């Protein structure tokens, strides 16, 4: 009886070892990250029917087309789309000078509001379609080694090409 038990234990070990080995050597599937220049992003400003509406916050580009009533042509927040509107989101402003990615001079309270809105509104409601070049690249055009895609468990990066 002991030999049957040892045999089953050995078989279990071999099966589990084989499975673990397979998991270790299985390549991780990654999807390409779409990079948007300012010019690319400007094309998705909600002015053309049938065209997606994109907006960036903190360098993350979201497809806000499902909020067309808010972001579409003539809508209240249309000024925010087709660009990185990080500063405007932090300040809850639609002033032209605030429609930028520049966060210099924002108060601690505005930075906290930005993070809260980024996580609880944009990441929660709208799929990520890519990142601005400012987020992925350094000013000299070299890749930003600290770049990490945002975690968005409720969505997958939208494939449109």
């Amino acid at each position: 009886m002991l030999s049957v038990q040892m045999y089953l234990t050995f078989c279990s070990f071999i099966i589990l070892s084989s499975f673990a080995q397979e998991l270790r050597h299985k390549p991780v599937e990654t999807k390409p990250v779409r990079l948007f220049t300012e010019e690319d992003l400007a094309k998705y400003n909600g002015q053309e029917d049938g065209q997606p509406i994109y907006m960036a916050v903190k360098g993350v580009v979201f497809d806000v087309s499902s909020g067309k009533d808010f972001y579409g042509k003539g809508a209240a927040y249309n000024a925010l789309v087709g660009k990185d509107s990080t500063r405007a989101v932090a300040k809850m402003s639609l002033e032209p000078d605030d429609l930028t990615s520049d966060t210099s001079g924002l108060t601690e309270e505005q930075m906290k509001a930005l993070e809260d809105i980024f996580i609880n509104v944009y990441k929660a409601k709208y799929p990520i379609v890519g990142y601005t070049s400012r987020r992925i690249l350094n000013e000299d055009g070299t890749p930003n080694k600290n770049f990490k895609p945002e975690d968005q468990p409720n969505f997958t990066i939208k494939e449109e090409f």
Side-chain angles (χ1 to χ4, degrees):
M1 188 70 168
L2 185 58
S3 62
V4 171
Q5 190 175 18
M6 285 178 55
Y7 175 75
L8 290 174
T9 302
F10 178 73
C11 287
S12 297
F13 174 76
I14 295 297
I15 290 168
L16 290 174
S17 295
S18 166
F19 181 69
Q21 186 78 4
E22 186 178 315
L23 284 177
R24 260 183 284 183
H25 294 290
K26 190 172 186 177
V28 177
E29 285 187 38
T30 58
K31 292 191 176 189
V33 174
R34 179 153 181 213
L35 176 118
F36 286 86
T37 63
E38 288 180 22
E39 295 80 21
D40 292 334
L41 192 54
K43 296 173 189 172
Y44 301 95
N45 62 6
Q47 298 304 306
E48 289 186 41
D49 290 334
Q51 181 87 321
I53 304 169
Y54 292 169
M55 170 185 174
V57 179
K58 293 177 57 176
V60 180
V61 181
F62 295 96
D63 182 342
V64 296
S65 301
S66 64
K68 186 176 182 176
D69 292 342
F70 299 104
Y71 299 106
K73 186 176 185 176
Y77 300 116
N78 179 256
L80 299 172
V81 301
K83 61 186 70 74
D84 189 323
S85 296
T86 301
R87 183 179 199 81
V89 170
K91 293 178 73 175
M92 297 180 197
S93 166
L94 294 174
E95 294 297 319
D97 289 346
D98 291 328
L99 300 173
T100 177
S101 61
D102 182 18
T103 59
S104 61
L106 292 178
T107 66
E108 188 175 326
E109 186 177 304
Q110 289 168 330
M111 292 301 288
K112 284 180 183 176
L114 171 63
E115 190 65 19
D116 182 57
I117 293 167
F118 178 72
I119 292 169
N120 297 313
V121 176
Y122 292 101
K123 282 182 69 173
K125 289 178 74 173
Y126 303 110
I128 295 171
V129 293
Y131 298 87
T132 63
S133 53
R134 288 180 177 261
R135 171 110 181 212
I136 296 177
L137 303 175
N138 295 318
E139 286 189 30
D140 65 0
T142 60
N144 177 353
K145 294 187 188 320
N146 296 320
F147 169 76
K148 289 186 175 74
E150 287 292 325
D151 177 33
Q152 194 179 31
N154 298 330
F155 295 102
T156 56
I157 291 178
K158 184 175 176 182
E159 300 272 345
E160 69 173 50
F161 300 102

